[in-house]
Amino acid sequence: MSGDSEKIKGFLINPVETFQKQSGEHLGAAYRYYVVLLVLFSVLYGIVAIVMDMSVFNTTIASLSSIPGMEWAASLASFGNFAVSFDIFFIYVMFVISLFSIFISGLMLHCFVLLLGGEKGYSQTIKSMMYAYTPYLIFGWIPYVNIIAAIWMLALQVIGIRELQGIQTEHALLVVLLPVFLVLFGFLLFGIVIATFLSGFAGMLGFA
């Protein structure tokens, strides 16, 4: 774990040099590092999620039961254990998905690496992703701070792609941003499809 601590410190403080040091490292070592941080993140995120959800749950029940005629709402408190167990199940499912989805995401990202001149192999791309997750897995469980951690993660991804694939900074930036743009554009198209469907449905019913 001491080696992982040095990597964490390096990626957070001096990412360029740290990525350069990992260029010859085996993919298995990078994956073990990612999994260790993923376990830590899942535990901390789970604790925060359970505490916040139970606070909202109990506050909601107290507010409802204080309304005249809604005293029966206090009996909903018996579902507290269900709420906790559901949170634990959801976090476990997300943990398992994250164990495997990193490879699928890496493959998709590597398509853009190839498109923009990277020729050092899929393993370097996936390593850059695993290491770029460092700030998010360390700080992403903290509400509001997770937004900064996500942006930090994207910045590290650009640095990682540049250093491990040996391409220009602007090309590395495109590698990271193009998939984001495509996803956002896909959501926009989906929204247009739904809007036009609802418009047609409303017209069919005579509301348009």
Side-chain angles (χ1 to χ4, degrees):
M1 186 65 189
S2 59
D4 288 341
S5 299
E6 288 299 317
K7 285 183 182 179
I8 292 171
K9 181 180 178 181
F11 286 120
L12 296 180
I13 298 176
N14 191 7
V16 174
E17 182 180 339
T18 307
F19 270 115
Q20 291 172 350
K21 289 180 179 178
Q22 311 311 319
S23 61
E25 187 180 50
H26 293 296
L27 179 58
Y31 188 52
R32 285 189 290 272
Y33 170 88
Y34 168 77
V35 171
V36 168
L37 293 190
L38 181 61
V39 171
L40 177 64
F41 169 82
S42 298
V43 172
L44 294 175
Y45 179 81
I47 293 173
V48 171
I50 290 172
V51 170
M52 292 182 65
D53 288 351
M54 288 307 299
S55 176
V56 172
F57 181 78
N58 292 329
T59 300
T60 302
I61 290 177
S63 298
L64 289 175
S65 59
S66 64
I67 299 174
M70 294 283 289
E71 291 79 5
W72 57 268
S75 61
L76 294 175
S78 59
F79 284 93
N81 290 335
F82 167 75
V84 172
S85 63
F86 181 82
D87 278 342
I88 293 174
F89 172 73
F90 176 78
I91 292 164
Y92 171 75
V93 170
M94 294 307 297
F95 169 77
V96 173
I97 291 175
S98 298
L99 283 177
F100 305 105
S101 63
I102 187 74
F103 293 99
I104 300 174
S105 301
L107 180 60
M108 295 172 63
L109 194 68
H110 191 62
C111 293
F112 293 95
V113 169
L114 295 174
L115 188 65
L116 292 164
E119 298 180 351
K120 295 191 176 181
Y122 166 73
S123 63
Q124 297 288 36
T125 300
I126 193 68
K127 278 163 53 180
S128 72
M129 286 196 67
M130 291 174 177
Y131 287 133
Y133 264 97
T134 298
Y136 191 81
L137 295 178
I138 295 295
F139 302 112
W141 55 275
I142 306 174
Y144 304 110
V145 176
N146 54 9
I147 299 174
I148 300 174
I151 297 172
W152 193 352
M153 178 186 71
L154 290 176
L156 278 187
Q157 181 68 83
V158 173
I159 295 173
I161 290 293
R162 184 190 68 190
E163 297 301 323
L164 297 186
Q165 287 291 348
I167 61 178
Q168 297 176 354
T169 301
E170 54 269 28
H171 288 175
L173 185 62
L174 285 174
V175 167
V176 175
L177 293 184
L178 279 176
V180 176
F181 171 78
L182 289 176
V183 170
L184 293 177
F185 187 67
F187 278 116
L188 175 63
L189 288 178
F190 181 73
I192 293 174
V193 169
I194 295 299
T196 53
F197 172 79
L198 293 176
S199 176
F201 191 69
M204 183 182 69
L205 296 178
F207 293 110

